[in-house]
Amino acid sequence: GRCVFCRIARRQEPGTALLPCQYEDLVCFRDIRPGAPHHYLVVPVEHMGNCKTLKAEHIPVVKRMMEVGKAVLQRNNFSDMSDVRMGFHWPPFCSISHLHLHVLAPASQLGFLSRLVYRLNSYWFIT
């Protein structure tokens, strides 16, 4: 398929290392353009549309995606969960339609551009 996140999830992108993940139906990897010292993406293995298509039944998936995000931060020795930003880009501001959660830390160290791109509950980034 043409979706890069589907290829990564199926381990068909040798350049992208998958990080340990406690759920079989999710994968986690580093963002190729990090906006913070820690910047990970958590992605369902099965192709799901962007956050606009999320329904109530997806709440458990999103909660597990956030659990994975916290676990990967802790494994990488980041423990201050009050200084973490997690969220989704709102269409049309997401470049890839496959659902993906951004996990950024420390939020206090986001650069100027990243602070705009990952701005809390802006038009384009929802937490």
Side-chain angles (χ1 to χ4, degrees), residues 25-89:
D25 60 336
L26 300 174
V27 291
C28 180
F29 49 94
R30 288 174 201 279
D31 194 296
I32 55 165
R33 288 191 298 257
H38 295 268
H39 189 173
Y40 307 102
L41 296 177
V42 183
V43 172
V45 171
E46 193 183 328
H47 187 95
M48 285 175 67
N50 56 48
C51 58
K52 234 179 200 174
T53 60
L54 284 174
K55 312 242 178 337
E57 70 253 28
H58 295 118
I59 290 171
V61 176
V62 172
K63 282 191 171 150
R64 288 188 299 115
M65 290 170 82
M66 293 179 76
E67 268 180 62
V68 169
K70 286 181 184 150
V72 73
L73 287 170
Q74 285 162 342
R75 266 198 307 275
N76 286 278
N77 302 315
F78 188 84
S79 57
D80 182 4
M81 291 301 147
S82 66
D83 199 14
V84 173
R85 187 158 305 173
M86 292 196 204
F88 300 99
H89 279 119

Side-chain angles (χ1 to χ4, degrees), residues 6-26:
C6 282
R7 288 203 307 272
I8 290 172
R10 293 194 205 107
R11 296 166 168 78
Q12 291 165 350
E13 285 290 317
T16 304
L18 293 183
L19 303 170
C21 179
Q22 62 266 47
Y23 295 111
E24 291 284 299
D25 60 336
L26 300 174

